[in-house]
């Protein structure tokens, strides 16, 4: 979860990219996640990194399943000069 004040700054994309990388290192081949159907920003982010993701409506939620082999793990539009990005980049090197 990304708090409201930090949304729309690329943090979700960066965190998701790190999760995908860690999952691939551990042999995980697929992510499945539940997202509020009204959360277009998150659904759009997931579609942008996994165009072949499958969405299944489930009431107020949407279950999104995506094979990690096709996921674009590059951070995309992230401010690489931001303190948050630099901190996560340092953690990722450890």
């Amino acid at each position: 979860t990304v708090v409201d004040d930090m949304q729309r700054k690329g943090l979700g994309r960066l965190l998701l990219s790190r999760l995908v990388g860690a999952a691939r290192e551990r042999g995980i081949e697929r992510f499945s996640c539940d997202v509020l159907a009204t959360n277009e920003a998150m659904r759009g982010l997931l579609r942008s990194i996994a165009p072949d993701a499958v969405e299944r409506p489930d009431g107020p939620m949407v279950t999104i399943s995506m094979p990690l082999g096709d996921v674009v793990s590059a951070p995309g539009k992230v401010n690489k000069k931001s303190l948050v990005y630099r901190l996560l980049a340092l953690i990722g090197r450890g």
Side-chain angles (χ1 to χ4, degrees), residues 67-87:
L68 297 185
D70 297 332
V71 169
V72 178
S73 60
K77 297 178 183 175
V78 174
N79 179 359
K80 293 184 179 185
K81 293 181 181 181
S82 76
L83 180 60
V84 173
Y85 177 87
R86 292 184 296 172
L87 177 62

Side-chain angles (χ1 to χ4, degrees), residues 7-8 12-13 16 33-66:
Q7 290 183 6
R8 305 243 182 242
R13 180 178 296 276
L16 190 54
C33 55
D34 294 325
V35 179
L36 283 171
T38 57
N39 189 344
E40 285 299 326
M42 186 63 194
R43 291 173 66 192
L45 170 60
L46 293 171
R47 279 191 299 268
S48 76
I49 67 159
D52 295 330
V54 175
E55 292 190 6
R56 289 186 319 272
D58 185 17
M61 304 298 287
V62 174
T63 299
I64 300 173
S65 178
M66 58 187 149

Side-chain angles (χ1 to χ4, degrees), residues 11 14-15 17-19 21-22 25-26 82-94:
L11 184 57
L14 181 62
L15 289 171
S17 176
R18 295 282 188 207
L19 284 172
E25 288 175 8
R26 290 160 179 80
S82 76
L83 180 60
V84 173
Y85 177 87
R86 292 184 296 172
L87 177 62
L88 287 173
L90 287 173
I91 292 170
R93 292 182 192 157

